[in-house]
């Protein structure tokens, strides 16, 4: 039964993958083809990505646009830029430099390559200093 955005089969495949099993091993356990396991896993990851994007949008509703990290920016310069923009608006970011960099990368892994911003990242901040990314 589908509960939330993932089917039971998608959850099962993701649990096995988290345990380190290959797609072929999972296929043998659940009696299907490796190609089907690949399709199930891909659909699950796409559903998770859409859910993340939806939540980020929801969080930005209670936040204001702070700044944009432009493509080509060195990721290590991003915290200084974000802190300065927040200060201009009289807001305090609740993350230290390392936490901020990790949060940026974890929330937007596809937007960074090494230390470079690959595509623009919109930064939003709420009154509590939480940051959200669009």
């Amino acid at each position: 039964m589908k509960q939330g955005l993932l089917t039971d089969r998608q959850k099962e495949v993701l649990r096995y993958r988290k345990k380190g099993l290959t797609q072929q091993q999972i296929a043998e356990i659940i009696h299907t083809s490796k190609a089907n396991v690949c399709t199930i896993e891909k659909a699950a990851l796409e559903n998770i990505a859409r859910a993340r994007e939806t939540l980020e949008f929801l969080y930005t509703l209670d936040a204001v646009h702070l700044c944009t990290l432009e493509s080509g920016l060195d990721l290590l310069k991003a915290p200084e830029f974000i802190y300065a923009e927040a200060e201009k608006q009289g807001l305090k970011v609740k993350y230290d430099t390392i936490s901020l960099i990790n949060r940026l990368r974890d929330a937007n892994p596809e937007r960074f390559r090494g230390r470079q911003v690959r595509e623009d990242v919109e930064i939003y901040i709420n009154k509590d200093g939480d940051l959200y990314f669009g």
Side-chain angles (χ1 to χ4, degrees), residues 10 15 49 51 59 79 88 115 134:
Q10 289 172 335
R15 282 187 191 104
Y59 297 142
K88 287 179 191 174
R115 287 178 35 182

Side-chain angles (χ1 to χ4, degrees), residues 19-47:
K19 290 179 182 177
L21 275 68
T22 65
Q23 289 178 341
Q24 183 61 49
Q25 291 169 322
I26 297 168
E28 291 168 8
I29 292 169
I30 65 174
H31 307 291
T32 191
S33 67
K34 178 184 173 190
N36 190 40
V37 170
C38 180
T39 300
I40 292 167
E41 182 178 8
K42 181 179 178 189
L45 295 175
E46 288 171 352
N47 288 345

Side-chain angles (χ1 to χ4, degrees), residues 60-93:
T60 63
L61 293 176
D62 292 328
V64 295
H65 184 263
L66 182 64
C67 61
T68 302
L69 301 182
E70 295 184 355
S71 177
L73 179 72
D74 183 334
L75 183 58
L76 296 181
K77 295 183 182 202
E80 180 182 333
F81 178 65
I82 291 169
Y83 295 144
E85 292 299 313
E87 189 174 326
K88 287 179 191 174
Q89 294 188 27
L91 298 167
K92 180 168 174 43
V93 176

